[in-house]
Amino acid sequence: MKATNFLFSLLIVVAAFAAGRYAFPTSSAPAAAPEEIAVKTTETPVVSRADSPVAGSISAEDALAYTPSELHTIRLFENASPSVCYITTKTQRRSFWTRDVSEVPAGSGSGFVWDNQGHIITNYHVIRDASRAIVTLANGEDYDAKLVGIAKEKDLAVLRIEAPAGALEPIPVGTSQDIRVGQAVYAIGNPFGLDQTLTTGVVSALDREINSQANVPIRGVIQSDAAINPGNSGGPLLDSRGMLIGVNTAIYSPSGASAGIGFSIPVDVVRYVVPDLIRYGEVRRASLGVDFYRYWRGTGLAIEEVVPQGPAGSRGVRGLSQDARGNWVLGDVLVGINGKAIKTSTDYFLEMENFEPGERVTLNLVRDERRIEVEVELGSSVE
């Protein structure tokens, strides 16, 4: 009985297997490969500086990975950074033991390309006392720079390099007239020798005053909280359009590092100074053709020397003179210009900045203890 049941079960299994083979025949053709599934990643690929994207190269798909604010900052940096350069200076030093003269590193700073003729703008204090300056463009190429002109009273200097026109990217120049407290600003430079560094912030205040390298105040300075450190000097301060609005110049910090208070020379001052530095090597300022007596301690500025045929000399303005016994006789004392009081040399310098060569002004003088007025036509400091 058990054997019969076993055989019956075996016949059922065989019949079922045969039916399955008939209903679902096998194929000798290979199975189709499964469809590949594209996997997207949110990781940012690591690229070298040489492979970094150029301005405007971010695709629409890649742009989705950034916020609109981030995308704006990325494109601003990519557009502006080719105009920013790294400046290293060297100075000559004589060995105490061998008396041989050698070049040693003196410092570093930042600068930017002004035009296609290779003019580079930086701070005067970046290249002060340097015997040699080397400009490194954003493409990594080094060029020996020649000094074109300096303006100590504005802490600005112009260098020139012999670089191919294709390697020069002049920075777009804006204006500082319509700057507002609270607007976004961007600084690009080389703090602590770390080239092509971007920092961001806002305009913190306007019309600040700092001392220049000539101990003359620079007025109208922009204050921002964009991180500015040693090495940023001479680099550009940009607005949200990527336009130059200032030259980063100084920081206020007890420790010497950024404390959130940085100062930049307004671009309108740069636009006024740079053309004269390129053409004359110095700023073409309005001049009276006089020198002042530095030891005078009275009110106003005592005139020491007068250029005989100069603007003031041709109108009879007097300087110091000697009498028959060889005693010095006080000449004219300048106490005002167009009625505005002049008490110090700083007052005089800042007031003269308001005039151009060829303009006429009235000098308020004290002569022989009497007040007089003399009208003069201003000359030029480079003539």
Side-chain angles (χ1 to χ4, degrees):
M1 185 67 181
K2 292 181 177 180
T4 303
N5 291 337
F6 174 76
L7 290 174
F8 183 75
S9 299
L10 182 61
L11 286 173
I12 292 175
V13 172
V14 172
F17 179 78
R21 293 274 295 179
Y22 179 79
F24 305 102
T26 59
S27 174
S28 59
E35 182 179 356
E36 293 184 0
I37 300 176
V39 179
K40 294 183 180 180
T41 177
T42 58
E43 293 182 357
T44 302
V46 178
V47 295
S48 67
R49 181 174 177 180
D51 297 329
S52 60
V54 295
S57 66
I58 299 178
S59 67
E61 184 178 3
D62 291 337
L64 296 176
Y66 308 101
T67 67
S69 177
E70 289 175 328
L71 194 60
H72 170 267
T73 303
I74 290 170
R75 285 178 169 161
L76 183 146
F77 175 76
E78 291 176 349
N79 282 323
S81 59
S83 302
V84 184
C85 52
Y86 181 35
I87 300 175
T88 53
T89 58
K90 297 182 181 295
T91 187
Q92 293 184 342
R93 182 172 297 174
R94 184 184 296 274
S95 170
F96 176 79
W97 303 104
T98 66
R99 312 305 293 170
D100 292 335
V101 177
S102 60
E103 279 191 337
V104 296
S108 64
S110 305
F112 52 89
V113 179
W114 182 256
D115 56 28
N116 288 317
Q117 284 71 52
H119 291 111
I120 307 295
I121 310 302
T122 187
N123 284 140
Y124 165 70
H125 75 258
V126 170
I127 53 92
R128 180 186 56 195
D129 300 328
S131 60
R132 183 184 176 203
I134 301 169
V135 173
T136 303
L137 297 180
N139 61 10
E141 295 293 329
D142 293 340
Y143 297 92
D144 280 326
K146 296 180 180 178
L147 181 61
V148 174
I150 61 173
K152 292 182 181 180
E153 67 281 359
K154 298 299 180 185
D155 198 11
L156 291 172
V158 177
L159 308 175
R160 189 171 186 272
I161 60 174
E162 297 292 340
L168 298 170
E169 292 282 346
I171 199 163
V173 179
T175 179
S176 50
Q177 289 184 350
D178 54 358
I179 296 175
R180 296 291 182 268
V181 173
Q183 77 174 71
V185 288
Y186 307 80
I188 304 178
N190 308 287
F192 303 110
L194 302 172
D195 63 332
Q196 297 293 304
T197 295
L198 170 70
T199 55
T200 64
V202 298
V203 174
S204 304
L206 297 171
D207 296 325
R208 295 303 195 200
E209 184 176 298
I210 61 175
N211 268 343
S212 69
Q213 297 295 308
N215 290 322
V216 174
I218 305 175
R219 291 180 173 174
V221 172
I222 304 166
Q223 178 186 325
S224 74
D225 67 350
I228 297 175
N229 286 290
N232 273 114
S233 292
L237 185 73
L238 309 170
D239 64 11
S240 57
R241 298 172 299 165
M243 306 289 285
L244 178 72
I245 59 172
V247 179
N248 300 320
T249 298
I251 59 174
Y252 180 81
S253 170
S255 65
S258 176
I261 301 177
F263 300 105
S264 305
I265 299 171
V267 70
D268 288 349
V269 173
V270 180
R271 295 171 64 180
Y272 168 78
V273 169
V274 166
D276 278 1
L277 294 184
I278 292 175
R279 184 173 180 181
Y280 305 112
E282 61 182 11
V283 180
R284 183 177 180 264
R285 296 183 296 272
S287 170
L288 290 176
V290 301
D291 289 325
F292 298 108
Y293 185 55
R294 67 180 66 183
Y295 302 111
W296 172 252
R297 293 294 179 265
T299 302
L301 299 176
I303 296 175
E304 181 177 8
E305 293 184 6
V306 179
V307 177
Q309 301 304 317
S314 61
R315 299 293 297 168
V317 174
R318 305 173 185 175
L320 290 177
S321 61
Q322 288 181 298
D323 60 17
R325 298 181 178 181
N327 297 318
W328 287 103
V329 178
L330 183 65
D332 293 336
V333 177
L334 179 67
V335 295
I337 297 177
N338 287 345
K340 186 170 183 179
I342 301 296
K343 298 179 180 179
T344 66
S345 58
T346 297
D347 292 340
Y348 168 76
F349 184 86
L350 293 176
E351 183 62 23
M352 290 294 285
E353 281 193 334
N354 297 322
F355 305 106
E356 297 288 340
E359 290 189 59
R360 302 188 73 86
V361 299
T362 299
L363 304 182
N364 308 114
L365 305 172
V366 173
R367 178 184 296 173
D368 299 330
E369 299 183 354
R370 293 184 301 105
R371 285 184 173 265
I372 64 171
E373 294 183 351
V374 176
E375 187 179 70
V376 302
E377 181 179 321
L378 298 173
S380 170
S381 61
V382 297
E383 293 177 351

